[in-house]
PDB file of all heavy atoms in Angstrom:
ATOM      1  N   MET A 207      60.226 154.666  79.519  1.00  0.00           N
ATOM      2  CA  MET A 207      60.180 153.933  80.775  1.00  0.00           C
ATOM      3  C   MET A 207      58.743 153.817  81.277  1.00  0.00           C
ATOM      4  O   MET A 207      58.331 152.819  81.821  1.00  0.00           O
ATOM      5  CB  MET A 207      61.077 154.613  81.836  1.00  0.00           C
ATOM      6  CG  MET A 207      62.561 154.532  81.552  1.00  0.00           C
ATOM      7  SD  MET A 207      63.107 152.808  81.213  1.00  0.00           S
ATOM      8  CE  MET A 207      62.601 152.004  82.737  1.00  0.00           C
ATOM      9  N   VAL A 208      57.973 154.901  81.106  1.00  0.00           N
ATOM     10  CA  VAL A 208      56.555 154.860  81.499  1.00  0.00           C
ATOM     11  C   VAL A 208      55.825 153.812  80.650  1.00  0.00           C
ATOM     12  O   VAL A 208      55.035 152.990  81.219  1.00  0.00           O
ATOM     13  CB  VAL A 208      55.905 156.253  81.309  1.00  0.00           C
ATOM     14  CG1 VAL A 208      54.384 156.128  81.498  1.00  0.00           C
ATOM     15  CG2 VAL A 208      56.476 157.264  82.318  1.00  0.00           C
ATOM     16  N   PHE A 209      56.051 153.790  79.365  1.00  0.00           N
ATOM     17  CA  PHE A 209      55.426 152.778  78.495  1.00  0.00           C
ATOM     18  C   PHE A 209      55.845 151.373  78.854  1.00  0.00           C
ATOM     19  O   PHE A 209      55.059 150.445  78.899  1.00  0.00           O
ATOM     20  CB  PHE A 209      55.757 153.093  77.023  1.00  0.00           C
ATOM     21  CG  PHE A 209      55.258 152.061  76.068  1.00  0.00           C
ATOM     22  CD1 PHE A 209      53.900 151.930  75.838  1.00  0.00           C
ATOM     23  CD2 PHE A 209      56.143 151.264  75.340  1.00  0.00           C
ATOM     24  CE1 PHE A 209      53.416 151.001  74.930  1.00  0.00           C
ATOM     25  CE2 PHE A 209      55.682 150.348  74.432  1.00  0.00           C
ATOM     26  CZ  PHE A 209      54.311 150.191  74.243  1.00  0.00           C
ATOM     27  N   PHE A 210      57.151 151.192  79.200  1.00  0.00           N
ATOM     28  CA  PHE A 210      57.670 149.886  79.568  1.00  0.00           C
ATOM     29  C   PHE A 210      57.012 149.372  80.833  1.00  0.00           C
ATOM     30  O   PHE A 210      56.543 148.232  80.897  1.00  0.00           O
ATOM     31  CB  PHE A 210      59.187 149.985  79.777  1.00  0.00           C
ATOM     32  CG  PHE A 210      59.810 148.770  80.408  1.00  0.00           C
ATOM     33  CD1 PHE A 210      59.933 147.606  79.701  1.00  0.00           C
ATOM     34  CD2 PHE A 210      60.215 148.817  81.709  1.00  0.00           C
ATOM     35  CE1 PHE A 210      60.498 146.484  80.278  1.00  0.00           C
ATOM     36  CE2 PHE A 210      60.794 147.705  82.327  1.00  0.00           C
ATOM     37  CZ  PHE A 210      60.909 146.523  81.597  1.00  0.00           C
ATOM     38  N   HIS A 211      56.909 150.230  81.847  1.00  0.00           N
ATOM     39  CA  HIS A 211      56.289 149.800  83.101  1.00  0.00           C
ATOM     40  C   HIS A 211      54.768 149.511  82.914  1.00  0.00           C
ATOM     41  O   HIS A 211      54.252 148.604  83.542  1.00  0.00           O
ATOM     42  CB  HIS A 211      56.467 150.883  84.187  1.00  0.00           C
ATOM     43  CG  HIS A 211      57.871 150.935  84.719  1.00  0.00           C
ATOM     44  ND1 HIS A 211      58.506 149.831  85.212  1.00  0.00           N
ATOM     45  CD2 HIS A 211      58.720 151.977  84.842  1.00  0.00           C
ATOM     46  CE1 HIS A 211      59.726 150.197  85.610  1.00  0.00           C
ATOM     47  NE2 HIS A 211      59.864 151.485  85.419  1.00  0.00           N
ATOM     48  N   TYR A 212      54.140 150.279  82.060  1.00  0.00           N
ATOM     49  CA  TYR A 212      52.722 150.030  81.776  1.00  0.00           C
ATOM     50  C   TYR A 212      52.541 148.663  81.117  1.00  0.00           C
ATOM     51  O   TYR A 212      51.631 147.905  81.508  1.00  0.00           O
ATOM     52  CB  TYR A 212      52.161 151.099  80.863  1.00  0.00           C
ATOM     53  CG  TYR A 212      50.745 150.827  80.393  1.00  0.00           C
ATOM     54  CD1 TYR A 212      49.674 151.001  81.242  1.00  0.00           C
ATOM     55  CD2 TYR A 212      50.525 150.309  79.105  1.00  0.00           C
ATOM     56  CE1 TYR A 212      48.390 150.724  80.818  1.00  0.00           C
ATOM     57  CE2 TYR A 212      49.245 150.035  78.688  1.00  0.00           C
ATOM     58  CZ  TYR A 212      48.176 150.216  79.550  1.00  0.00           C
ATOM     59  OH  TYR A 212      46.903 149.937  79.133  1.00  0.00           O
ATOM     60  N   CYS A 213      53.394 148.313  80.190  1.00  0.00           N
ATOM     61  CA  CYS A 213      53.266 147.032  79.474  1.00  0.00           C
ATOM     62  C   CYS A 213      53.519 145.858  80.429  1.00  0.00           C
ATOM     63  O   CYS A 213      52.784 144.846  80.416  1.00  0.00           O
ATOM     64  CB  CYS A 213      54.248 146.976  78.308  1.00  0.00           C
ATOM     65  SG  CYS A 213      53.867 148.111  76.988  1.00  0.00           S
ATOM     66  N   VAL A 214      54.536 145.980  81.274  1.00  0.00           N
ATOM     67  CA  VAL A 214      54.822 144.914  82.238  1.00  0.00           C
ATOM     68  C   VAL A 214      53.691 144.736  83.238  1.00  0.00           C
ATOM     69  O   VAL A 214      53.259 143.642  83.524  1.00  0.00           O
ATOM     70  CB  VAL A 214      56.151 145.216  82.978  1.00  0.00           C
ATOM     71  CG1 VAL A 214      56.364 144.233  84.116  1.00  0.00           C
ATOM     72  CG2 VAL A 214      57.343 145.208  82.026  1.00  0.00           C
ATOM     73  N   MET A 215      53.161 145.880  83.711  1.00  0.00           N
ATOM     74  CA  MET A 215      52.094 145.809  84.711  1.00  0.00           C
ATOM     75  C   MET A 215      50.819 145.274  84.106  1.00  0.00           C
ATOM     76  O   MET A 215      50.127 144.451  84.749  1.00  0.00           O
ATOM     77  CB  MET A 215      51.864 147.238  85.241  1.00  0.00           C
ATOM     78  CG  MET A 215      51.097 147.254  86.564  1.00  0.00           C
ATOM     79  SD  MET A 215      51.077 148.870  87.286  1.00  0.00           S
ATOM     80  CE  MET A 215      50.222 148.494  88.840  1.00  0.00           C
ATOM     81  N   SER A 216      50.458 145.668  82.908  1.00  0.00           N
ATOM     82  CA  SER A 216      49.264 145.133  82.242  1.00  0.00           C
ATOM     83  C   SER A 216      49.397 143.652  81.986  1.00  0.00           C
ATOM     84  O   SER A 216      48.386 142.909  82.030  1.00  0.00           O
ATOM     85  CB  SER A 216      48.980 145.908  80.944  1.00  0.00           C
ATOM     86  OG  SER A 216      50.022 145.740  80.033  1.00  0.00           O
ATOM     87  N   ASN A 217      50.608 143.213  81.713  1.00  0.00           N
ATOM     88  CA  ASN A 217      50.875 141.790  81.489  1.00  0.00           C
ATOM     89  C   ASN A 217      50.531 140.966  82.730  1.00  0.00           C
ATOM     90  O   ASN A 217      49.843 139.961  82.688  1.00  0.00           O
ATOM     91  CB  ASN A 217      52.326 141.591  81.117  1.00  0.00           C
ATOM     92  CG  ASN A 217      52.654 140.184  80.677  1.00  0.00           C
ATOM     93  OD1 ASN A 217      53.785 139.734  80.832  1.00  0.00           O
ATOM     94  ND2 ASN A 217      51.705 139.446  80.127  1.00  0.00           N
ATOM     95  N   TYR A 218      50.977 141.457  83.901  1.00  0.00           N
ATOM     96  CA  TYR A 218      50.681 140.770  85.164  1.00  0.00           C
ATOM     97  C   TYR A 218      49.170 140.797  85.464  1.00  0.00           C
ATOM     98  O   TYR A 218      48.604 139.810  85.977  1.00  0.00           O
ATOM     99  CB  TYR A 218      51.444 141.430  86.312  1.00  0.00           C
ATOM    100  CG  TYR A 218      52.871 140.957  86.433  1.00  0.00           C
ATOM    101  CD1 TYR A 218      53.924 141.785  86.080  1.00  0.00           C
ATOM    102  CD2 TYR A 218      53.130 139.677  86.913  1.00  0.00           C
ATOM    103  CE1 TYR A 218      55.224 141.339  86.189  1.00  0.00           C
ATOM    104  CE2 TYR A 218      54.446 139.239  87.016  1.00  0.00           C
ATOM    105  CZ  TYR A 218      55.507 140.071  86.682  1.00  0.00           C
ATOM    106  OH  TYR A 218      56.799 139.643  86.755  1.00  0.00           O
ATOM    107  N   PHE A 219      48.518 141.911  85.131  1.00  0.00           N
ATOM    108  CA  PHE A 219      47.098 142.011  85.469  1.00  0.00           C
ATOM    109  C   PHE A 219      46.243 141.126  84.551  1.00  0.00           C
ATOM    110  O   PHE A 219      45.217 140.611  84.986  1.00  0.00           O
ATOM    111  CB  PHE A 219      46.626 143.481  85.405  1.00  0.00           C
ATOM    112  CG  PHE A 219      46.738 144.161  86.711  1.00  0.00           C
ATOM    113  CD1 PHE A 219      47.939 144.716  87.155  1.00  0.00           C
ATOM    114  CD2 PHE A 219      45.664 144.249  87.581  1.00  0.00           C
ATOM    115  CE1 PHE A 219      48.076 145.336  88.378  1.00  0.00           C
ATOM    116  CE2 PHE A 219      45.759 144.871  88.827  1.00  0.00           C
ATOM    117  CZ  PHE A 219      46.959 145.404  89.222  1.00  0.00           C
ATOM    118  N   TRP A 220      46.669 140.907  83.312  1.00  0.00           N
ATOM    119  CA  TRP A 220      45.901 139.978  82.471  1.00  0.00           C
ATOM    120  C   TRP A 220      46.143 138.536  82.849  1.00  0.00           C
ATOM    121  O   TRP A 220      45.287 137.710  82.656  1.00  0.00           O
ATOM    122  CB  TRP A 220      46.202 140.236  81.006  1.00  0.00           C
ATOM    123  CG  TRP A 220      45.351 141.367  80.465  1.00  0.00           C
ATOM    124  CD1 TRP A 220      45.734 142.635  80.167  1.00  0.00           C
ATOM    125  CD2 TRP A 220      43.939 141.269  80.176  1.00  0.00           C
ATOM    126  NE1 TRP A 220      44.646 143.375  79.735  1.00  0.00           N
ATOM    127  CE2 TRP A 220      43.544 142.594  79.728  1.00  0.00           C
ATOM    128  CE3 TRP A 220      42.980 140.290  80.274  1.00  0.00           C
ATOM    129  CZ2 TRP A 220      42.225 142.858  79.374  1.00  0.00           C
ATOM    130  CZ3 TRP A 220      41.674 140.579  79.919  1.00  0.00           C
ATOM    131  CH2 TRP A 220      41.326 141.851  79.502  1.00  0.00           C
TER     132      TRP A 220
END
Side-chain angles (χ1 to χ4, degrees):
M207 292 307 303
V208 170
F209 177 66
F210 169 73
H211 286 308
Y212 172 77
C213 294
V214 172
M215 199 171 183
S216 62
N217 188 208
Y218 278 107
F219 268 83
W220 276 105

